[in-house]
Amino acid sequence: MNSHLISFQLNTMPVSVETTPDARLIDVLREHFRLTGTKEGCGEGECGACMILLDDRPTLSCLVAIGAIDGKRVITIEGLRETPGFAILAQAFNDAGAVQCGYCTPGMIMIAYALLRDQRDPDESSIRRAMAGNLCRCTGYAMIVEAIRLAATRRGQSW
Amino acid sequence: MNSVFTANLDRADTPDKCDGGARYVHDLQVAGMLHAVTVRSSVRRGTITSITVPELPAGYVQVSAADVPGVNQISYFKDPCPFFAPGSVQYRGEAVLLLVGGDPAKLHRLARQTIIEYDEIPAIHTMEEALAGDKPPIFGSDNIYIEERFGHGDVDGAIARAAEVFTTTTETGYQDHLYLEPQGVLACPEVDRMTIYVSSQGPHAARKVVAAALGWDEASVRVIQTTVGGGFGGKIEPPMFLAAQSAVAAHHCGKPVRLIYTREEDLLCTTKRHPSRITVTSALAADGSILAVDIDSLFQGGGYSQSCAMVLDTGTKKASGVYHFPAIRVRGRGLASNNPMPGAFRGFGAPQNYFALETHLNALARKLGREPLEMKRALFIKQGDATITGGRYHFATGLDETISAATEAAGYYRRRKALPAGPSTRRGLGQALVKFGAPNSVDSKISLDSRSIGLRKHSDGRIEILSELVEMGQGLHTAFRKLVARHLDLPVKRVSHAPGDTDAVPFLSITGASMSVVLFGATLLEAADKLKARLDEPGEVTILQPARQPDHVFWDATALRGEPFHSYAWGTFIAEVEVDMITYQVQVVDLWVALDVGSVIDRRLVQGQIEGGAVQGLGFSLLECMPRDGFSCSLTDYLIPTFLDAPQVHGLIVETPYPPGPYGAKCVGEPPLVGVGPAIADAVANACGVEIYQLPITPEYLLQRMTKR
């Protein structure tokens, strides 16, 4: 397949990359742009570790071909961490003990951010349903649920 | 309740893990780096007759057993194991060679085009085939990697005299660790040196393996531990193989080589929990009391023994559970097969044996119409009782307190008989009791002097912990910082943990078997005692403290007599399940896990271990299904618990201090997993009125049990 110039917005900056359009977005983010906060846990859309926001929608970057995002907006954990919402989420993850090995954590925070953007104060079952595509093998999940509830109580008008 | 450690300490690693800044091995890129892809055996057993690699582009090479400058062997195990197939293969997925080059996609394509031909040898698929002896043996003449027997009293006599003999056989399957971070290594050759970046549970063990592979002295190899994205025992063995292979490749090419597994490869060829089949026979008196117990425990190993001997050994020593039987015989055997390769996994042989024994006793109680906890209570180990290896339970046991905590929180006695059934659902409560010995004693004739942990006071007053023990998520480094700060009476922010780098920290041990806090935490406090007297000295002060077993431990590894373990955690598990009588799906509604872990160093970390371990145990009990002679190489087939499968886990902490432990602490890493299976099985049995003898309890299995004529 021939290389194409793909242009998109990455963490608020306009960027272009010369690549074959079937390259996976996760590889372009990690290997080309060196944004390694987006993790690969399975490469088949089952674990959620590679979650990013594509035009504000939580999306698994291992399932997206770079050719499909021309002209779109991508936010990774490296972009999200500049926001006040991230600071509240990270503090809540810390306080609830929601981080152990940490490999799932950036993906968890990406989807939690989108959840709290769409729902001001989700109850436990809404949180569990919204997060069900993100796997964690360390915590047993309850502390992550608690972190998101804590963040919901502390969010104010931050996002 | 101990009052030494009141507040939880924020982990130092959380901010980087949240914002994506933490560097896992897959995140490392260095100039000139090449990638490696593994070409694997497509058959279970055979002799390699030819290998045809497609013509490789410039800059691409293959690396195999022929390119190993040192020995093609991992010496960490009781029996040597090659890291490149040495002309023959013993399991599907065994590494035959690496293809190395610049583009991972191209390498994967070339790997698929590589043709390996074999003279196949009839593979051993089951434990029956391993014992039957009608296929060429994989190991020795009988396929037995290890056999051990423990016990006391006249078991055969008791069975002969018994009013009744009651027998159960339980089976458990594979479980994959499914750490979220797949295995990976980056090997960087330098002038006369090799630096290995690895996600492992033991940097010095990896260094030894790499040095032997290259034929170098150990000082010429440096291993740097990267952030570990989960271990659970699964990053003890496989990283040694990846490290040796990538070091040989990097040496061969003279360039850095990065080897990262896909999830498919990781599921196919890395270690898993040993499948088991365990028969428990009890000799009963006329009143139903137990006169003797006979346990025959079979573990299905793989095509190489790897850590089968260690897992079988510790599991067999734990097989008598929380009981002091009038007479007992435990026989454990680890068998060779050509099935997927098992190894170390959180629980180390205990989950299989506790499922067998607790299921046996719970079934017996139902058969006799007895309340199981009351029936079991008559047999509980008491302080001062003998172990099945002729040692003693030297210290107070917290078992009764865990039973009280769990039964009260669950409303067990009140609700057990009165759980409501829905129109198409049934509910049940079940329980299981466990003890967990840790660490495994080593032979008292062996000095541990070459193993040490240290502390360094820098000239600016900072204190650094010098330890190779790995932070893999469990919170060990946080616990160590708290111990040292408390012991030196310094603010905890003055205490940091050195990076896991074999140039910077001394050889101590792999991180596993729940031994880091209870044993090496105590050694660390001995170092702190020495440093305390020298805190006011100017300049840098370094203390290296050799490890030693505590004074009450004597173990003879030849006779298998003495204290099998240093300390014991005790636990009560209660599960409440709802069973859908149309789909036969089991949902765990609540799980109460009461553990006596000794004194608590950090309550939030202990809760994290309890909740995470219990949910991993739930996966083992209900969901995680890998055909015993087959393969599940995708998360679409191999299901682990999600947010929607995980129940409310009620962690209940009992603190019976263990005097030789640091401030009385015992262990917490493995115990939360080991009792979940039998508690869920008992709950399902109570809900459905059929005994459950298999994990995982799949809908298919439950359907068969309930519709069997």
Side-chain angles (χ1 to χ4, degrees), chain A:
Chain A
M1 206 176 285
N2 293 328
S3 281
H4 288 66
L5 189 68
I6 313 283
S7 300
F8 58 105
Q9 195 190 82
L10 177 56
N11 296 330
T12 73
M13 299 287 288
V15 296
S16 297
V17 57
E18 176 92 27
T19 181
T20 57
D22 65 342
R24 301 185 310 165
L25 175 57
I26 187 173
D27 294 330
V28 173
L29 292 173
R30 289 178 50 83
E31 306 291 333
H32 182 84
F33 290 105
R34 305 277 176 106
L35 297 175
T36 54
T38 301
K39 302 299 178 196
E40 179 163 354
C42 69
E44 57 184 14
E46 293 281 359
C47 80
C50 67
M51 189 75 77
I52 50 107
L53 298 180
L54 181 59
D55 284 352
D56 298 329
R57 296 216 343 241
T59 302
L60 297 169
S61 60
C62 75
L63 297 183
V64 176
I66 193 77
I69 70 154
D70 202 41
K72 297 192 174 182
R73 280 175 292 121
V74 173
I75 296 175
T76 69
I77 192 71
E78 290 85 355
L80 194 75
R81 73 184 172 202
E82 307 301 328
T83 67
F86 169 82
I88 288 167
L89 277 164
Q91 188 63 45
F93 269 63
N94 174 78
D95 296 350
V99 180
Q100 289 192 31
C101 88
Y103 204 75
C104 73
T105 308
M108 290 283 179
I109 289 183
M110 294 304 295
I111 179 112
Y113 180 89
L115 169 66
L116 292 186
R117 181 196 58 207
D118 297 344
Q119 297 184 43
R120 272 215 73 75
D121 190 17
D123 60 11
E124 174 168 352
S125 104
S126 311
I127 294 170
R128 285 184 180 269
R129 277 200 309 277
M131 308 280 293
N134 286 60
L135 298 177
C136 168
R137 192 57 153 172
C138 297
T139 64
Y141 299 109
M143 287 173 166
I144 300 174
V145 173
E146 176 58 22
I148 293 165
R149 294 175 58 133
L150 260 182
T153 65
R154 294 171 176 176
R155 63 188 301 175
Q157 298 305 313
S158 52
W159 82 101

Side-chain angles (χ1 to χ4, degrees), chain B residues 16-76:
Chain B
D16 279 353
K17 286 177 171 176
C18 284
D19 73 11
R23 307 280 273 170
Y24 300 81
V25 64
H26 196 175
D27 303 334
L28 304 180
Q29 286 190 40
V30 294
M33 182 176 87
L34 300 176
H35 298 270
V37 167
T38 312
V39 180
R40 304 178 177 286
S41 165
S42 59
V43 303
R44 289 162 187 268
R45 191 180 189 190
T47 306
I48 296 172
T49 55
S50 71
I51 299 176
T52 312
V53 178
E55 192 178 340
L56 296 176
Y60 285 67
V61 296
Q62 57 164 310
V63 179
S64 67
D67 302 301
V68 178
V71 291
N72 176 23
Q73 253 175 32
I74 307 285
S75 58
Y76 174 80

Side-chain angles (χ1 to χ4, degrees), chain B residues 149 152-162 165 283 292-294 327-329:
Chain B
R149 293 166 193 255
H152 57 76
D154 178 10
V155 173
D156 290 325
I159 289 174
R161 287 191 310 275
V165 173
V293 167
D294 191 13
I328 181 167
R329 176 171 57 210

